[in-house]
Amino acid sequence: MFCAIGLVLLTLAFASPGTQVLGKLFQGPTEEILKRAYDVIIVGAGAGGGATASRLTEDPRVRVLLIEAGGSDFMNLNISVPARASTLSRSRFDWNFTTVPQVGLDNRAVLYPRGFVLGGSTAINQMVFCRGTKDDYDRWARLTGDEGWSFEKLAPFVRSVDRMTLPTDRHNTSGQFDPSIHHHVGTVPISVAGFPLPINSRVINTTAQLPDLFPFNLDYNSGDTIGIGWTQSTIHDGRRVTSATSYLAEAWSRSNLDIVVNTRVTKVLPVGYESGKPVMRGVEIAQTAGGRTHTLKAREEVVLSAGSIKTPHILLLSGIGDASYLSSMGIQPLVDLPAVGRNLHDHAFLGNSWLVNSNDTLDNLRVNSTLAAEALTQWQANGTGPLGIAGGSQFGWLRVPNASDFFAALGVADPSAGATSAHFELITTDGFISKRIAPPTEGHFFSFITAVISPTARGNVTLNSTDPFDAPIINPNLLGTDVDIAVMREAVKAARSFVAAPAWSDYIISEFGAFAEAHTDEELDAYIRNNTDTVDHPVGTVAMGKGAQGALDSDLKVKGTIGLRVVDASAFPFIPSGHTQGPTYILAERAAAMILRDI
Ligand SMILES: Cc1cc2nc3c(=O)[nH]c(=O)nc-3n(C[C@H](O)[C@H](O)[C@H](O)COP(=O)(O)OP(=O)(O)OC[C@H]3O[C@@H](n4cnc5c(N)ncnc54)[C@H](O)[C@@H]3O)c2cc1C
Ligand SMILES: *[C@@H]1O[C@H](CO)[C@@H](O)[C@H](O)[C@H]1NC(C)=O
Ligand SMILES: *[C@@H]1O[C@H](CO)[C@@H](O)[C@H](O)[C@H]1NC(C)=O
Ligand SMILES: *[C@@H]1O[C@H](CO)[C@@H](O)[C@H](O)[C@H]1NC(C)=O
Ligand SMILES: *[C@@H]1O[C@H](CO)[C@@H](O)[C@H](O)[C@H]1NC(C)=O
Ligand SMILES: *[C@@H]1O[C@H](CO)[C@@H](O)[C@H](O)[C@H]1NC(C)=O
Ligand SMILES: *[C@@H]1O[C@H](CO)[C@@H](O)[C@H](O)[C@H]1NC(C)=O
Ligand SMILES: *[C@@H]1O[C@H](CO)[C@@H](O)[C@H](O)[C@H]1NC(C)=O
Ligand SMILES: *[C@@H]1O[C@H](CO)[C@@H](O)[C@H](O)[C@H]1NC(C)=O
Ligand SMILES: *[C@@H]1O[C@H](CO)[C@@H](O)[C@H](O)[C@H]1NC(C)=O
Ligand SMILES: *[C@@H]1O[C@H](CO)[C@@H](O)[C@H](O)[C@H]1NC(C)=O
Ligand SMILES: *[C@@H]1O[C@H](CO)[C@@H](O)[C@H](O)[C@H]1NC(C)=O
């Protein structure tokens, strides 16, 4: 009951280091791979690449090669245990990127984790599952001129992703989500938290006590996110669900799918020209900087799913980007496409903590190793207990009060996609949270992560050198506009209003650290700039769109080329007002249908 059969088999295949390779997994580019013919070559096995590889190989006539830069250890304990997500940044599952100094963050540079393993960033993320809102997708449809990206038209693809499952502890979930909007046929299992936290009833009671400010939302995945409700996570039976444990596990035994790991695509290459356009069906691969390279050629298409940082990086290295910029970097331009690497946007993250009148918070797991060991034993038995959840069980999506006045005063139009889309997010956490300062060794905390969810700032991904093993220069431009910091200020004020509800009167003791000193708008801005980081949701760097704003046509084909598509979060024209793995899966579902139709 605890493990799906597929997972048991995968566990056997990957349980111990040095286990013999089973099935179609290759640890490097062997002769067998180099001489085989593939219809489609997919670059990157994260959310986009994993889903695309799985859907394409449902058609037995389509032979697919999936190339992943990272390794195959996706069943690693630290990946599987939800509460260990924070150990994955700066681990061997991370690309270890860092941004350039961020003007909006007092010129601090921040870590920019990206998954480096089968599953990609779904193997290192915080597992929140969001579909995105009706207005988000309807805006995509307007910007691309393709009604197929509207919320209504995407419904069948949402259905293919979403599989609501029982929570790990099998508790009664009545009132925690709306069963009528979920499906039980999708590939990605999701669930509400399977371990009860003492703060849960306080959070829910606040929605009854302050319903105007914080309305209860039974299910933020209905297309309308506004309000506070129960978080749905890519967790099943207490284990993290990734694109590898879901999509790739389903495809694993298919003879038409080969997966090669520890192998990087360094460039896409033209194999000829058709009607004046380069036919980009070639990829160059290498395992080490300056090491031996090989060239592979797809019969039909190359699909870039290397994510919002590496997909534009590969395109720029291949001569696809702003021609004058590429020339200045010493790269021969192949296609002049200025949108490549631009339009990078992301959500800004701020941890705000309070000291609380309780000894029963998740902080105990951090400071009490006996308790942590007991929790691990329980998790290993059946996935239950505090290790089987992420840090909190509810969150909320809110709009600034009087939005049109608020943004008019700042001289801009409302940056959200519409009434179903939030300006900011509040995420509850049953313990201390900060990406800025180390957790205290004692004390018990409640925290709200505040996040700017419809940002106006845009940054870019550019080249530091022409060496494909060198990291690109990453500038997400976090809090880069007055509008974004004003929204973060509203989010912090909302968090304070939330805990001022009667439900918290015997619980909250005081604000903690620099937060407690920040009261005036000036003080708040200083606190915010000094402590904000990223929610790790970069998108938009190779965006779909009309005219010069878009690098991709609405069918995800790279403009000015033949045989090359992008299927990952870099294709989003606008960041969804939600977390980004769900929208990446949904985009990949539609992309796979398009590819199967075309080839
Ligand atoms: C720390 C963190 C927390 C997050 N929390 C959440 C959350 O709670 N909820 C949510 O919805 N989203 C979250 N996200 C974001 C979400 O995981 C991503 O939006 C999603 O995974 C994007 O999918 P993708 O296919 O674009 O890229 P990825 O999933 O990053 O996949 C890209 C893959 O391509 C591989 N690759 C890159 N370059 C090459 C190359 N040259 N050759 C071969 N392979 C290559 C990478 O190794 C990787 O496996 C989080 C992300 C991070 C990093
Ligand atoms: C898990 O993470 C911890 C902390 O970073 C590390 O010490 C440990 O070796 C990791 N375990 C595995 C199985 O990789
Ligand atoms: C990231 O850093 C960790 C810790 O130093 C290291 O083990 C890992 O190999 C690095 N990742 C990559 C892709 O180099
Ligand atoms: C999980 O195991 C614990 C301890 O062994 C037990 O108390 C609990 O009932 C089990 N839960 C489920 C859902 O199997
Ligand atoms: C779950 O709770 C709801 C509301 O309290 C109740 O109506 C329902 O019968 C319960 N379901 C089960 C299976 O106990
Ligand atoms: C929340 O409200 C319920 C129902 O009114 C009540 O039983 C419960 O004690 C409240 N919880 C807290 C922590 O106030
Ligand atoms: C927490 O533990 C301390 C030390 O044992 C005790 O004095 C205090 O009363 C406890 N607080 C609560 C809320 O249980
Ligand atoms: C640590 O956890 C263990 C096991 O639950 C418990 O017995 C012990 O009292 C805890 N230690 C402290 C200092 O709270
Ligand atoms: C919103 O506007 C209304 C009407 O103009 C006003 O009464 C109310 O105080 C405003 N609310 C806020 C939070 O500014
Ligand atoms: C990237 O952004 C920086 C900072 O805004 C800007 O100076 C630079 O010109 C941009 N580069 C490209 C190639 O767009
Ligand atoms: C760019 O390369 C230089 C020289 O290797 C290095 O010092 C610098 O840190 C790199 N910049 C980034 C943003 O990676
Ligand atoms: C910024 O935060 C750091 C870490 O908490 C702190 O040491 C420093 O004093 C803060 N700086 C300002 C200007 O608040």
Side-chain angles (χ1 to χ4, degrees):
M1 185 168 177
F2 169 44
C3 271
I5 287 184
L7 276 186
V8 172
L9 293 174
L10 286 168
T11 310
L12 291 175
F14 294 104
S16 53
T19 304
Q20 209 191 338
V21 169
L22 301 179
K24 315 293 288 172
L25 178 69
F26 297 85
Q27 293 294 331
T30 60
E31 283 305 314
E32 203 175 345
I33 284 184
L34 296 172
K35 68 171 200 273
R36 225 172 241 182
Y38 296 98
D39 298 301
V40 179
I41 294 176
I42 301 173
V43 181
T52 307
S54 182
R55 285 294 172 241
L56 293 184
T57 53
E58 282 177 357
D59 182 337
R61 294 166 305 179
V62 181
R63 179 167 277 283
V64 171
L65 176 64
L66 176 60
I67 304 175
E68 168 56 41
S72 56
D73 188 18
F74 67 97
M75 297 301 282
N76 180 280
L77 187 70
N78 287 350
I79 294 178
S80 296
V81 175
R84 289 202 175 172
S86 64
T87 67
L88 302 169
S89 180
R90 255 36 184 189
S91 76
R92 63 197 172 86
F93 306 119
D94 184 6
W95 282 83
N96 302 328
F97 296 132
T98 304
T99 69
V100 291
Q102 296 292 284
V103 173
L105 307 183
D106 290 338
N107 288 317
R108 280 183 300 118
V110 298
L111 302 186
Y112 221 57
R114 296 281 92 199
F116 184 77
V117 62
L118 288 181
S121 297
T122 68
I124 68 164
N125 71 15
Q126 288 292 341
M127 299 155 283
V128 170
F129 182 80
C130 295
R131 295 175 179 176
T133 72
K134 178 176 188 313
D135 289 301
D136 290 338
Y137 290 112
D138 291 351
R139 174 158 68 181
W140 286 17
R142 278 197 309 281
L143 287 167
T144 58
D146 178 350
E147 197 48 31
W149 291 113
S150 69
F151 186 74
E152 195 188 321
K153 290 280 176 12
L154 284 172
F157 302 113
V158 173
R159 187 180 153 83
S160 304
V161 175
D162 183 307
R163 176 149 59 91
M164 181 54 90
T165 59
L166 294 173
T168 315
D169 60 1
R170 308 295 188 250
H171 74 265
N172 186 339
T173 57
S174 168
Q176 299 187 349
F177 62 88
D178 179 359
S180 75
I181 64 147
H182 289 278
H183 314 292
H184 302 281
V185 295
T187 297
V188 181
I190 58 176
S191 60
V192 294
F195 176 73
L197 294 172
I199 58 172
N200 288 351
S201 72
R202 296 181 193 273
V203 175
I204 298 307
N205 287 7
T206 305
T207 65
Q209 292 166 355
L210 302 176
D212 295 339
L213 288 175
F214 305 108
F216 180 68
N217 186 341
L218 177 60
D219 201 317
Y220 64 91
N221 274 328
S222 66
D224 182 351
T225 50
I226 305 305
I228 307 283
W230 295 82
T231 311
Q232 298 165 25
S233 301
T234 45
I235 294 175
H236 184 49
D237 282 337
R239 285 177 176 259
R240 173 197 290 274
V241 172
T242 70
S243 73
T245 68
S246 57
Y247 283 100
L248 292 181
E250 273 188 11
W252 206 260
S253 60
R254 292 177 195 150
S255 61
N256 55 337
L257 174 64
D258 286 348
I259 302 173
V260 58
V261 294
N262 306 314
T263 303
R264 295 195 198 187
V265 166
T266 49
K267 271 179 196 171
V268 287
L269 301 167
V271 298
Y273 283 80
E274 276 174 29
S275 14
K277 294 179 179 175
V279 179
M280 303 301 296
R281 294 195 181 114
V283 298
E284 182 186 84
I285 57 174
Q287 290 196 283
T288 53
R292 187 163 171 207
T293 61
H294 301 279
T295 302
L296 296 171
K297 191 181 148 185
R299 283 196 291 234
E300 301 282 353
E301 290 204 14
V302 168
V303 172
L304 286 178
S305 300
S308 296
I309 305 305
K310 288 296 294 181
T311 287
H313 191 206
I314 294 168
L315 287 170
L316 293 171
L317 291 168
S318 311
I320 301 177
D322 185 313
S324 59
Y325 170 70
L326 291 173
S327 299
S328 76
M329 292 300 297
I331 291 174
Q332 173 74 48
L334 188 65
V335 181
D336 184 16
L337 208 51
V340 173
R342 301 223 172 112
N343 190 44
L344 172 59
H345 45 324
D346 191 3
H347 294 142
F349 169 112
L350 174 63
N352 311 273
S353 296
W354 288 262
L355 278 163
V356 298
N357 180 32
S358 167
N359 291 328
D360 184 13
T361 63
L362 294 177
D363 297 294
N364 293 339
L365 285 174
R366 190 178 67 243
V367 296
N368 185 340
S369 55
T370 311
L371 183 70
E374 284 175 5
L376 183 61
T377 303
Q378 181 180 354
W379 182 86
Q380 281 166 329
N382 58 18
T384 61
L387 296 191
I389 61 168
S393 305
Q394 300 88 15
F395 60 3
W397 307 87
L398 298 164
R399 293 176 61 78
V400 300
N402 296 348
S404 52
D405 294 352
F406 180 90
F407 291 106
L410 291 161
V412 296
D414 181 346
S416 76
T420 62
S421 294
H423 298 119
F424 61 86
E425 180 184 11
L426 302 180
I427 306 176
T428 66
T429 309
D430 185 43
F432 183 79
I433 189 110
S434 172
K435 290 202 191 182
R436 175 72 165 121
I437 63 168
T441 49
E442 54 186 29
H444 292 92
F445 299 88
F446 170 76
S447 304
F448 261 127
I449 296 164
T450 50
V452 177
I453 230 66
S454 296
T456 60
R458 298 291 182 269
N460 60 24
V461 174
T462 53
L463 298 170
N464 197 18
S465 77
T466 55
D467 177 354
F469 280 77
D470 196 6
I473 296 176
I474 303 169
N475 179 15
N477 201 11
L478 293 161
L479 300 183
T481 64
D482 293 345
V483 176
D484 294 354
I485 192 155
V487 171
M488 186 64 100
R489 226 188 283 135
E490 290 304 311
V492 175
K493 290 176 185 174
R496 281 180 163 151
S497 304
F498 195 94
V499 301
W504 302 88
S505 61
D506 60 343
Y507 194 74
I508 295 287
I509 297 172
S510 61
E511 293 173 356
F512 180 77
F515 181 32
E517 310 304 322
H519 299 291
T520 65
D521 281 1
E522 292 67 34
E523 288 165 354
L524 273 170
D525 286 3
Y527 159 70
I528 289 167
R529 291 199 194 284
N530 193 22
N531 291 283
T532 293
D533 204 285
T534 170
V535 194
D536 309 294
H537 293 165
V539 307
T541 47
V542 191
M544 289 185 277
K546 294 180 263 189
Q549 298 300 313
L552 307 177
D553 289 324
S554 75
D555 57 5
L556 303 164
K557 289 178 178 158
V558 177
K559 290 180 181 179
T561 71
I562 288 176
L564 181 61
R565 274 188 238 238
V566 170
V567 184
D568 62 25
S570 40
F572 297 0
F574 250 93
I575 198 162
S577 57
H579 298 230
T580 45
Q581 66 173 346
T584 311
Y585 285 139
I586 293 165
L587 175 130
E589 288 281 356
R590 180 164 188 234
M594 288 171 163
I595 295 168
L596 286 172
R597 183 195 62 204
D598 287 358
I599 66 177

